[in-house]
Amino acid sequence: MKNVFIVAAKRTPIGSFLGSLSTFTAPQLGALAIQSVLDTAQVDVNRIDSVYMGNVLSAGIGQSPARQAAVFAGIPYQTDATTVNKVCAAGMKATILGAQQIQLELEHLVITGGMESMSNVPHYIAMRKGMKLGQVAMMDGMLKDGLWDVYHDYHMGSAAEWGAKKYNHTRQELDTYALLSYEKAQYAKASHKFDAECISIDVPQRKGTLIVQSDEDIDKLLPEKVPFLSPAFEENGVLTAANSSNLNDGAAAILLASEEAIKANQLTPLAKIIAYADAAQEPEAFTTSPTLAIQKIMKQTGMSLTDIDFFEINEAYSSVVLSNQQLLGIDLHKINVYGGAVALGHPIGASGARIITTLVHVLQQENGRYGIAAICNGGGGATAILIENTNYQPQKN
């Protein structure tokens, strides 16, 4: 099949829940990310063949969120757009679908990514069948459609607790990892590591404009309070608000191109997509499903995990990274070198594309050749993707 290249990858800052980006809808955030990708690559919008954007919490934001993001970004009406929902893996799956369009020679330039505004998810009220007498309860749409395991009728955090217990993760171990994630993210921010991937957003205020340039949650942690936080999901549990990802707003966009499009448009690729895979197991075991997807990629390619220079494994919870690292036997220092979702945040429909975006720039800035991004999703699934840095410079002995 045809080769697929990543030409540009950009993301918005990740906004806090009800924070600075909460005035934007998910499609509006998606449009900002798409616009940045188009501006970076200097590609004529009329040459974009299609758009695939992940989005999970779509209630109340209007028809076809991906279509909205495309149109708001200035992409012509004649260009089709498709919204993808694979829960937390939505943004990555959208990117894989876009890559497949190019591999099958159906298209040449495709925008992919993901977007979410968790701040704007409505509450639901079931009134369609009428209510003759009594109180009517409201449901939190974010919990119902984004964070709730329907198979066991509990929060995804409770499933993560099951996994943490299975792999013998202690509260201290999880807290230590969470603090490390924050330290790495703070270092990356201070060292301007995110500058190449993160766009600036102007947020209108009553008086003037607020410029949001960096992820809002990175500097909010109070390390001295971490050991004393109460469990967030289960009594006597080990997962807390500090060692779990936050609720967030954000978007990421990626421009994919065929070899022909690279030449025709005089583009310079950042990375090449080598392989990808989905995997699934029991819903309660979702936190370790990335291992299955990564192993599928290794089998497809015949490569070894030692060939991989950097990993981005989404930190829905600290236990996700620690469990998969334990199962795969990979070096913890190769994982999430700029911090992960525990520190940066987890806008669920965007995160799959966000970690690809970060991985692309990690490979560029740290001169790694191969990188894998992997993300688990509700229901027991996961998606992973292997990319190669097209600008890799072999180290001289």
Side-chain angles (χ1 to χ4, degrees):
M1 290 186 289
K2 291 287 185 178
N3 290 323
V4 183
F5 296 91
I6 296 174
V7 174
K10 293 286 186 176
R11 68 176 180 89
T12 68
I14 300 175
S16 298
F17 188 61
L18 301 176
S20 298
L21 300 184
S22 61
T23 56
F24 295 91
T25 66
Q28 287 171 338
L29 292 171
L32 292 170
I34 292 172
Q35 285 174 333
S36 180
V37 159
L38 293 170
D39 291 343
T40 299
Q42 290 293 292
V43 171
D44 181 354
V45 293
N46 294 292
R47 296 195 174 187
I48 301 300
D49 293 311
S50 65
V51 176
Y52 291 84
M53 294 292 284
N55 180 246
V56 179
L57 303 168
S58 300
I61 61 176
Q63 285 185 342
S64 187
R67 175 72 165 167
Q68 292 181 53
V71 171
F72 295 158
I75 292 175
Y77 291 129
Q78 290 72 27
T79 303
D80 191 42
T82 302
T83 306
V84 179
N85 184 351
K86 194 175 185 284
V87 209
C88 302
M92 188 176 293
K93 188 64 177 179
T95 300
I96 290 170
L97 291 172
Q100 289 172 336
Q101 291 291 99
I102 294 172
Q103 286 180 311
L104 294 171
E105 300 185 63
L106 298 174
E107 294 170 341
H108 289 280
L109 284 171
V110 180
I111 293 283
T112 69
M115 54 200 177
E116 205 73 77
S117 177
M118 299 178 82
S119 294
N120 286 306
V121 182
H123 285 72
Y124 307 154
I125 183 166
M127 293 291 288
R128 183 69 65 191
K129 296 179 181 179
M131 182 67 184
K132 292 185 177 180
L133 183 67
Q135 304 298 323
V136 178
M138 298 186 72
M139 293 179 287
D140 185 339
M142 183 169 55
L143 283 176
K144 179 71 174 178
D145 292 334
L147 305 175
W148 203 257
D149 183 303
V150 300
Y151 309 98
H152 300 88
D153 195 29
Y154 58 29
H155 194 286
M156 297 303 299
S158 294
E161 283 281 7
W162 180 91
K165 183 178 180 180
K166 180 176 180 179
Y167 293 98
N168 300 311
H169 299 309
T170 66
R171 167 68 182 271
Q172 183 178 8
E173 181 185 20
L174 296 172
D175 284 350
T176 298
Y177 181 82
L179 291 171
L180 176 63
S181 184
Y182 275 96
E183 287 171 9
K184 290 190 289 187
Q186 289 164 356
Y187 171 79
K189 176 184 175 182
S191 304
H192 302 284
K193 296 289 189 180
F194 293 129
D195 289 1
E197 68 183 76
C198 196
I199 69 175
S200 176
I201 296 180
D202 293 343
V203 183
Q205 306 284 290
R206 288 184 179 179
K207 295 182 179 180
T209 300
L210 172 67
I211 301 174
V212 181
Q213 295 178 301
S214 59
D215 306 308
E216 285 194 282
D217 286 343
I218 289 179
D219 299 312
K220 291 186 176 181
L221 183 76
L222 299 174
E224 66 277 7
K225 292 189 175 182
V226 170
F228 304 104
L229 292 174
S230 300
F233 308 106
E234 298 284 331
E235 188 177 355
N236 300 318
V238 291
L239 294 169
T240 68
N243 60 39
S244 305
S245 60
N246 296 324
L247 310 174
N248 299 94
D249 308 327
I254 298 165
L255 175 61
L256 303 179
S258 67
E259 212 154 354
E260 293 85 348
I262 293 285
K263 294 175 182 177
N265 296 278
Q266 298 181 314
L267 302 172
T268 302
L270 298 173
K272 178 182 176 182
I273 294 177
I274 303 298
Y276 45 78
D278 296 303
Q281 56 184 332
E282 293 77 12
E284 64 271 22
F286 82 102
T287 57
T288 56
S289 293
T291 287
L292 303 179
I294 291 171
Q295 288 172 335
K296 278 189 174 182
I297 286 177
M298 294 296 97
K299 185 176 181 180
Q300 285 177 28
T301 59
M303 294 175 66
S304 166
L305 287 169
T306 57
D307 296 324
I308 310 304
D309 298 298
F310 296 103
F311 295 83
E312 285 290 324
I313 299 177
N314 191 59
E315 294 172 3
Y317 307 92
S318 291
S319 59
V320 173
V321 169
L322 294 177
S323 296
N324 287 285
Q325 184 261 340
Q326 180 180 323
L327 287 167
L328 293 167
I330 54 181
D331 185 349
L332 192 61
H333 293 95
K334 290 184 174 183
I335 304 173
N336 300 352
V337 293
Y338 294 169
V342 163
L344 299 172
H346 182 17
I348 55 179
S351 289
R354 198 282 297 171
I355 63 174
I356 296 174
T357 297
T358 298
L359 180 62
V360 166
H361 293 284
V362 166
L363 292 174
Q364 297 291 310
Q365 294 170 166
E366 309 302 329
N367 193 36
R369 182 175 182 182
Y370 293 109
I372 286 180
I375 185 167
C376 55
N377 60 258
T383 302
I385 189 168
L386 167 64
I387 63 174
E388 180 181 10
N389 177 8
T390 52
N391 300 306
Y392 173 69
Q393 298 294 323
Q395 297 296 313
K396 296 181 180 179
N397 295 327

